[in-house]
């Protein structure tokens, strides 16, 4: 929108342009062709810089710019602070989705996968585990199904894939 108004727009991203869609959204939700098409459509509107912006760099950008918008994207995964969460094969959900997207789970995910959480990202992880060959996927959520803040279509899809749901369960 800023580009359409005539502004010279610069986007900085440590992982490169594309953010969550490029790095985390599973291909069965957003195909590589759709993603590439979207990127090709929008990329002429701005300059993309693959770099991390620290405090010093931010100061330089701020001095050279009329305005700065900070869109930090998704936050960091929350640790549960429970025994075993640092063991091999236990991943924070965003790391799991990124590894799956980049084919970094070469040995597969195993036969039984447990996902702790009840949001759309957790459902993506559950569906991804199924797509990667897990025979049993269990989603553990501390609240009821009614309290899940998810798209109904994604919940229905997870159920169709055979994802088991354990509600009112806290690890």
């Amino acid at each position: 929108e800023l580009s359409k108004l005539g502004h010279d727009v610069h986007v900085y991203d440590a992982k490169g342009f594309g953010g969550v869609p490029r790095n985390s959204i599973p291909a069965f939700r957003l195909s590589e062709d759709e993603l590439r098409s979207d990127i090709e459509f929008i990329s002429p509107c701005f300059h993309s810089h693959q770099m991390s912006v620290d405090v010093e760099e931010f100061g330089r950008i701020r001095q050279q710019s009329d305005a700065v918008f900070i869109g930090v994207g998704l936050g960091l995964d929350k640790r549960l602070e429970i025994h075993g969460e640092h063991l091999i094969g236990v991943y924070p959900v965003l790391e799991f989705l990124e590894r799956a997207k980049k084919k970094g789970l070469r040995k597969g995910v195993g036969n039984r996968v447990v996902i702790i959480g009840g949001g759309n990202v957790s459902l993506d992880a559950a569906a991804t585990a199924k797509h990667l060959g897990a025979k049993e996927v269990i989603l553990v959520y501390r609240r009821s199904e009614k309290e899940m803040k998810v798209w109904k279509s994604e919940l229905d899809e997870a159920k169709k894939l055979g994802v088991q749901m354990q509600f009112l369960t806290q690890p």
Side-chain angles (χ1 to χ4, degrees), residues 1 38 43-44 112 126 143 147 160-161:
E1 292 302 313
D38 287 351
S43 61
R112 187 169 195 238
R143 295 187 175 122
E147 295 171 284
K160 284 179 188 169
L161 287 170

Side-chain angles (χ1 to χ4, degrees), residues 112 130 135-140 158 162-166:
R112 187 169 195 238
K130 277 298 213 178
K135 292 179 179 34
E136 183 179 19
V137 176
I138 303 164
L139 187 105
V140 176
V163 173
Q164 301 169 43
M165 312 276 176
Q166 289 184 2

Side-chain angles (χ1 to χ4, degrees), residues 29-154:
R29 292 240 188 281
L30 178 64
S31 75
E32 292 299 321
D33 288 342
E34 290 172 305
L35 179 61
R36 188 173 21 265
S37 175
D38 287 351
I39 288 172
E40 286 173 4
F41 175 76
I42 198 168
S43 61
C45 299
F46 55 86
H47 308 280
S48 180
H49 307 277
Q50 184 173 346
M51 61 183 284
S52 185
V53 177
D54 59 16
V55 173
E56 185 177 310
E57 185 65 26
F58 178 76
R60 185 189 67 72
I61 292 168
R62 180 65 190 105
Q63 286 179 346
Q64 294 176 352
S65 305
D66 296 322
V68 176
F69 168 77
I70 300 173
V72 296
L74 286 178
L76 299 175
D77 283 308
K78 294 179 187 171
R79 291 289 186 171
L80 295 175
E81 303 301 327
I82 59 175
H83 180 71
E85 74 178 319
H86 297 290
L87 294 173
I88 294 172
V90 178
Y91 302 101
V93 70
L94 293 175
E95 180 183 338
F96 172 77
L97 289 171
E98 286 180 12
R99 283 174 172 247
K101 180 98 179 201
K102 294 176 183 166
K103 313 288 189 268
L105 297 169
R106 297 188 194 285
K107 295 180 183 177
V109 294
N111 289 323
R112 187 169 195 238
V113 174
V114 176
I115 310 285
I116 300 170
N120 283 321
V121 177
S122 298
L123 290 176
D124 277 346
T128 296
K130 277 298 213 178
H131 284 277
L132 290 173
K135 292 179 179 34
E136 183 179 19
V137 176
I138 303 164
L139 187 105
V140 176
Y141 184 52
R142 64 189 167 115
R143 295 187 175 122
S144 70
E145 182 174 346
K146 272 185 165 180
E147 295 171 284
M148 292 179 86
K149 295 177 181 170
V150 297
W151 296 320
K152 185 178 179 339
S153 61
E154 288 197 19

